[in-house]
Amino acid sequence: MVKEIKTIGVLTSGGDAPGMNACVRAIVRTGIAKGFRMIGVQRGYNGLINGECYEMNLRSVSNIIHRGGTVLYTARCLEFKTEEGQQKAVDRCKELGIDALVVIGGDGSFMGARALSNKGIPCVGIPGTIDNDIACSEYTIGYDTAMNTAVEMIDKLRDTTQSHDRCSVVEVMGHHAGYIALNVGIATGAMAVLLPERPFDFERDILVPMNKTQLSGKKHFIIIVSEGIVPAQELARKIQTRTGVDTRATVLGHVQRGGSPTLRDRVMASTMGYHAVDLLSIGIYNRVVAVTGGKVVDYDINVALGMHKTIDSSMIDVANTISI
C-alpha cells in the first residue's frame, strides 16, 4: 500500500560536505513546486528526536547555494542507534506531521533511514560525503570541492617545498577510502601516494621512488598520505632520518570540508535533490539516490547498503608511473 505523503522533512547527517546546502535548496523548492509542505530538521537525527524542526518556504533556501557546510546543521546521535531512539524519531515524525524524510549523508545516515523505513516512515537517502566512499554511487556531494581545496593548498605548499629542496608529507582526509588522496596525488604530481586500499611498505612506497627521483635530478618531493595509514609527522621524521632530506608534515584536516562548493557539486547536489523528491511524489521510497555512468539513478536502500566499492587500480598505476 502506498502511503499518502503531504509533508516531507529534510535533514543532513554525519560529516558536513560542500554542496549540502545546494541539495537542501533543491529538495525544498522541488517539494514546494510539487505541492508538498516542507520541514527542515536541524542537527540530523538528534534534532529529529528532539523536535528541532521548522517549516521551510522558497525564501528559506535563498542565497545558500554557494555556501559550504549545512544551514540545517548536523550532529552525531548515539541515541538514534538504539531501538528506543529510533521509536522516538518515529513518534516525533507523527507528532510533527512529517510523512516522509530525505536524508543527506553517508552509509551511517542511510542505516538510520532504513531503520525509519522499516518502522513506517518513507525515506530517500542522498550521498553527501567528501570521501566519495558510498558504494552504490560513483559520486558523492562534496567530493569535487574537497579535492579542489586540497589541490589549491598543495600547489601553494609546493612553492616553499621547492624553494628549500624539502620533502613535504601532506595528510588528506579519507580514513577508509583513498579517492581524495589518489586523485589529488595525480593532480599535484606527488612522488608517492599512500592509500588505505594498499598495504603500506616504507621501502617500496617511499625510499625506492625517492631514490629514483633523486637520480633524475629532482630535489624536492611531495608525498600524499590518506589519514589513518601513518601519522604525517611520524612519517616525516622517519623520512628525514633515513634520507637526510629536510622533511615537513602538513595535515590539511577539516579545511577540506569547508568552502564554497564547485560547479560540479552544486549541479550534482541540485539534480540529486530534485530526483529524491520526484521519487516521493510518485510513491517510490526507501531508496538511495546515486550516480551510475554519469547519470542520476536510485537503488533500493537494502541493495545500496549491501554494495561494495573498490578503487580503480589503473589510476594507481597512473600515479606510480607519471609522478616520479
Side-chain angles (χ1 to χ4, degrees), residues 37 69 216 296:
R37 175 173 172 251
S216 71
V296 175

Side-chain angles (χ1 to χ4, degrees), residues 76-322:
R76 310 287 180 182
C77 185
L78 294 177
E79 184 180 7
F80 187 72
K81 294 183 178 181
T82 67
E83 181 72 22
E84 294 76 15
Q86 291 164 12
Q87 189 56 52
K88 281 185 182 179
V90 170
D91 293 341
R92 187 68 73 176
C93 284
K94 293 178 180 177
E95 176 188 321
L96 296 168
I98 296 175
D99 302 312
L101 274 173
V102 179
V103 176
I104 309 167
D107 280 336
S109 304
F110 297 161
M111 290 178 186
R114 179 171 64 181
L116 291 179
S117 295
N118 291 337
K119 292 180 180 297
I121 304 296
C123 292
V124 175
I126 298 176
T129 167
I130 68 168
D131 294 336
N132 197 36
D133 60 350
I134 303 301
C136 67
S137 187
E138 294 172 358
Y139 189 82
T140 61
I141 296 168
Y143 178 48
D144 189 60
T145 305
M147 289 192 296
N148 277 282
T149 297
V151 166
E152 181 181 358
M153 298 184 76
I154 294 166
D155 282 347
K156 295 177 186 296
L157 184 62
R158 177 189 294 280
D159 294 340
T160 189
T161 299
Q162 184 171 2
S163 296
H164 292 271
D165 285 337
R166 281 183 183 146
C167 175
S168 285
V169 176
V170 184
E171 182 181 294
V172 299
M173 297 186 83
H175 197 84
H176 301 292
Y179 298 99
I180 292 176
L182 179 56
N183 284 277
V184 166
I186 292 173
T188 59
M191 182 205 73
V193 182
L194 309 183
L195 310 171
E197 293 86 353
R198 189 168 183 253
F200 171 54
D201 181 276
F202 184 76
E203 185 82 22
R204 178 198 67 199
D205 297 329
I206 303 296
L207 293 186
V208 171
M210 198 166 179
N211 181 61
K212 187 176 179 180
T213 303
Q214 285 174 316
L215 290 174
S216 71
K218 190 173 182 179
K219 296 182 179 180
H220 67 278
F221 315 91
I222 299 286
I223 295 169
I224 307 296
V225 55
S226 193
E227 63 179 334
I229 296 176
V230 56
Q233 192 65 52
E234 179 184 315
L235 181 58
R237 282 195 297 266
K238 188 172 183 179
I239 291 172
Q240 183 161 325
T241 299
R242 293 289 298 273
T243 68
V245 176
D246 183 22
T247 306
R248 306 292 175 89
T250 301
V251 178
L252 298 187
H254 286 81
V255 69
Q256 294 160 92
R257 282 192 181 172
S260 182
T262 61
L263 179 146
R264 187 180 187 193
D265 271 327
R266 297 184 198 194
V267 173
M268 291 306 304
S270 298
T271 307
M272 286 181 169
Y274 173 89
H275 190 83
V277 176
D278 194 48
L279 288 173
L280 291 172
S281 73
I282 56 176
I284 299 175
Y285 37 81
N286 306 339
R287 311 287 290 182
V288 172
V289 177
V291 177
T292 299
K295 295 183 178 181
V296 175
V297 297
D298 54 272
Y299 296 97
D300 177 270
I301 199 165
N302 293 300
V303 172
L305 287 170
M307 290 181 174
H308 300 282
K309 190 174 186 178
T310 57
I311 206 157
D312 187 346
S313 60
S314 68
M315 293 288 282
I316 297 176
D317 291 338
V318 169
N320 290 337
T321 301
I322 71 173

